[in-house]
């Protein structure tokens, strides 16, 4: 489920109590859960799942990462001895879009490599977790939980950098090492990853199968989306990571998942391993109000306006649809989620529940005379959220508005020039740096203009400026923006029209020229640059102390809160918030009651695809061949005992954004599906787990193989898999 598409700036969390199946467990804790998992139906040991001495399940679980930043975005799983792996269609989406052209539109038509030579290079990296080490002592040492914040941050940062260098060189530079804070900085774990860089697309269904149901069905059940795509990892001759080369060979994994065609029934054990990105369980009460009333609504508003602009052009022109496909899907995905959270948080009365829990904690603090250490945190929290209520929108509109306007976002990548011109004319040395920067920018241009359709961008620009002007207190807005809006007498379209004529940030050729001989004066006169820089500069100068203070206080409060909680419930096995590290969640296959009198069955079938099928519709069309196969019930070995084909199914697992593409594994360690979404009734699950309501939505592996084999005629790929019948 759930691709990560958004950077959530303020994360708060902790755990009050553990309920059934809640928990995205770090692998270092699963030994303690072994008995409980086995009681639920697991036939393996904790060592079979995670061991640093022998091959185990974790060796087949992949972390999909951005090629340039190594930022994690999805999960995948290896399913053959030749490095073949599965992930979601919506995870491969960006790569599939990039490999498509109007003439060869594989996003629309699907693609299957007939042999390895036909596989196509994809632009992302894949990490495999080698091991985890507790480095808390190295990082925290004798620093106390309530030591002065600034001293603490400086000391921790210094130790973090040192510890990382030490570990990287100890491992002879073989691994990427991430040192990650757990329990809000009360514990630190080092993650060692082998990072593979030659990844190739093997196959994908056409979009009207892989994204069947589109945005309408997104985040909902019952679901019939065949959300998968397949790739392969290549390595050098020694099975080690290497940049792309024709002489590279398929990766031989330490482990790959066998695939079960036996299906499941309600109550069967199911576990998911993958990379959940962020959760904010147990956000402070006033934080819940801030997200529900300020942060989410402002993001929803600006995203919706941009989506409306996109849709107008995308629905009218298939080439524009292709150009903006990935950007649209990402914006829309979290538009819908944030919108759901606004209602969800209120419906679940989370504010009141948190207030109650905080009251209990206050009583515990008093009874145990811990006021001196812990009372501070409530004051900090109240202060932080009062400030966020006032200033938070500046950041929400930056991440969801300003950065989603392509010209503004391109202009922002040129602000790096500023520091070189700080003291007037640059010297020789600095000139060299400026040229380097310009060369870098020149290289980035094709990516920056990958999605750029001027009529869309003009309207988006106008909308973003309009919302900044209307919704942000003018004392917080840079004077340049207020001035420009008023100069055009609030005629935003006219403003955009004129500015687009004058700016070089809407024109790739003009920017190419600029990069050849960067001229600071010209940059400073560019009207789009003026706006982008003004906003950015305000945020990084005047507003910086405010946001630094907010973040420091929030981090401190969170850390104290978590520490108090762990003291309050000593001996409990704690399940830390998601932080883009590998986690395991276990549970069972289960239906749920969505609302009064409405009970949803635990799986969907091909019948539902045929029912939803709407020829010509943007979201519910499907290939005729698929409908024919389904109507004939030509399901072969993929049918259940009654001759039906299962499409998607539900489990009680606890997942979030980043888990997209994760393996759903039965008690024997075999693959039964690929996780791809969460359900609408539990849309606020990042803030609270609701055992009766929350379900993971997964694609049934039998539907995946049916598409591959019966629909696409790519059954030859089955030869490299291990199928359990
Ligand atoms: N909601 C799912 C997720 O967050 C799927 C997103 C992609 N699908 C879409 N229609 N935009 O991973």
């Amino acid at each position: 489920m759930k691709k990560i598409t958004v950077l959530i700036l303020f994360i708060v969390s902790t755990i009050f109590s553990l309920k059934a199946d809640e928990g995205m467990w770090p692998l270092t804790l699963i030994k303690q859960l072994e008995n409980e998992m086995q009681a639920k139906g697991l036939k393996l040991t904790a060592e079979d799942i995670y061991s640093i001495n022998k091959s185990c399940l974790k060796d087949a679980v992949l972390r999909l990462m951005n090629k340039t930043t190594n930022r994690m975005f999805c999960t995948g799983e290896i399913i053959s001895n030749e490095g073949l792996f599965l992930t979601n269609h919506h995870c491969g989406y960006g790569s599939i879009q990039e490999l498509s052209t109007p003439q060869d539109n594989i996003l629309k038509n699907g693609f299957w490599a007939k042999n390895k030579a036909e596989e196509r290079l994809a632009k992302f990296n894949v990490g495999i977790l080698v091991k985890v080490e507790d480095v808390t002592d190295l990082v925290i040492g004798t620093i106390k939980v309530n030591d002065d914040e600034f001293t603490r941050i400086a000391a921790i940062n210094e130790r973090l950098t040192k510890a990382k260098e030490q570990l990287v060189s100890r491992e002879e530079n073989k691994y990427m090492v991430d040192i990650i804070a757990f329990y809000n900085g009360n514990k630190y774990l080092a993650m060692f990853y082998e990072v593979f860089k030659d990844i190739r697309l093997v196959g994908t269904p056409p979009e009207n199968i892989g994204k069947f149901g589109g945005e309408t069905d997104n985040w909902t059940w019952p679901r019939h989306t065949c959300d998968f795509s397949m790739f392969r990892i290549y390595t050098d001759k020694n099975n080690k990571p290497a940049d792309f080369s024709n002489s590279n060979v398929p990766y031989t994994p330490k482990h790959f998942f066998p695939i079960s065609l036996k299906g499941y029934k309600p109550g069967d054990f199911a576990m998911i391993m993958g990379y959940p990105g962020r959760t904010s369980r147990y956000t402070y009460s006033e934080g819940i109000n801030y997200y529900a009333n300020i942060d989410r609504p402002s993001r929803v508003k600006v995203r919706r306006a941009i989506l409306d602009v996109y849709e107008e052009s995308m629905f009218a022109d298939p080439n524009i649809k292709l150009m903006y496909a990935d950007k649209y899907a990402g914006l829309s995905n979290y538009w819908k989620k944030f919108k759901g959270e606004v209602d969800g948080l209120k419906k679940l009365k989370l504010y009141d529940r948190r207030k109650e829990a905080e009251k209990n904690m206050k009583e515990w603090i008093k009874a145990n005379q811990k006021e001196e250490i812990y009372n501070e945190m409530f004051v900090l929290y109240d202060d932080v959220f009062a400030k966020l209520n006032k200033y938070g929108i500046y950041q929400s509109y930056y991440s969801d508005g300003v950065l989603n306007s392509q010209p503004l976002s391109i202009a922002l990548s040129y602000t790096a020039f500023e520091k070189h011109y700080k003291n007037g004319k640059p010297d020789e040395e600095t000139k060299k740096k400026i040229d380097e920067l310009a060369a870098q920018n020149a290289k980035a241009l094709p990516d920056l203009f990958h999605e750029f359709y001027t009529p869309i961008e003009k309207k988006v620009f106008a909308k973003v400026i309009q919302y900044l002007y209307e919704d942000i207190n003018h004392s917080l807005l840079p004077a340049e923006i207020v001035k420009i809006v008023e100069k055009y007498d609030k005629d935003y379209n006219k403003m955009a029209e004129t500015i687009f004529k004058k700016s070089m940030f809407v024109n790739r050729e003009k920017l190419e020229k600029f990069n050849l001989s960067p001229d600071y004066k010209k940059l400073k006169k560019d009207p789009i640059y003026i706006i982008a820089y003004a906003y950015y500069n305000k945020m990084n100068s005047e507003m910086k102390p405010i946001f630094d203070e907010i973040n420091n206080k929030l981090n401190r409060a969170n850390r104290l809160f978590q520490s108090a909680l762990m003291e309050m419930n000593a001996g409990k096995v704690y399940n830390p918030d998601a932080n883009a590290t590998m986690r395991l969640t276990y549970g069972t296959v289960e239906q749920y009651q969505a609302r009064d009198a409405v009970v949803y069955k635990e799986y969907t079938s091909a019948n539902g695809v045929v029912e939803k099928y709407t020829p010509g519709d943007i979201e519910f069309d499907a290939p005729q061949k698929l409908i024919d196969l389904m109507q004939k019930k030509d399901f072969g070995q993929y049918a259940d005992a009654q001759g039906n084909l299962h499409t998607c199914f539900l489990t009680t697992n606890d997942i979030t954004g980043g888990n997209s593409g994760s393996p759903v594994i039965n008690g024997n360690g075999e693959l039964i599906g690929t996780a791809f979404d969460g359900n609408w009734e539990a849309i606020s699950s990042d803030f609270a787990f609701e055992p009766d309501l929350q379900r993971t939505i997964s694609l049934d592996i039998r539907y995946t193989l049916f598409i591959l084999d019966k629909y696409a005629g790519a059954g030859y790929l089955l030869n490299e898999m291990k199928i359990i019948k």
Side-chain angles (χ1 to χ4, degrees), residues 1-4 88 90-91 211 213-219 223 227 328-330 332-334 337 657-658 660 676-678:
M1 122 169 186
K2 303 174 169 182
K3 180 171 164 178
I4 301 190
N88 289 150
H90 79 262
C91 293
K211 203 185 168 187
E215 304 309 324
T216 301
D217 273 8
N218 191 16
W219 299 109
R223 194 63 161 278
D227 199 343
Y328 176 77
S332 167
N333 191 33
Y334 275 74
K337 174 161 168 149
S660 275
F676 74 92
D677 210 357

Side-chain angles (χ1 to χ4, degrees), residues 314-329:
M314 285 174 81
F315 294 171
D317 182 341
N319 291 345
I320 305 303
K321 180 164 186 261
L322 176 61
M323 187 191 266
Y324 276 83
D326 192 40
K327 207 145 194 305
Y328 176 77

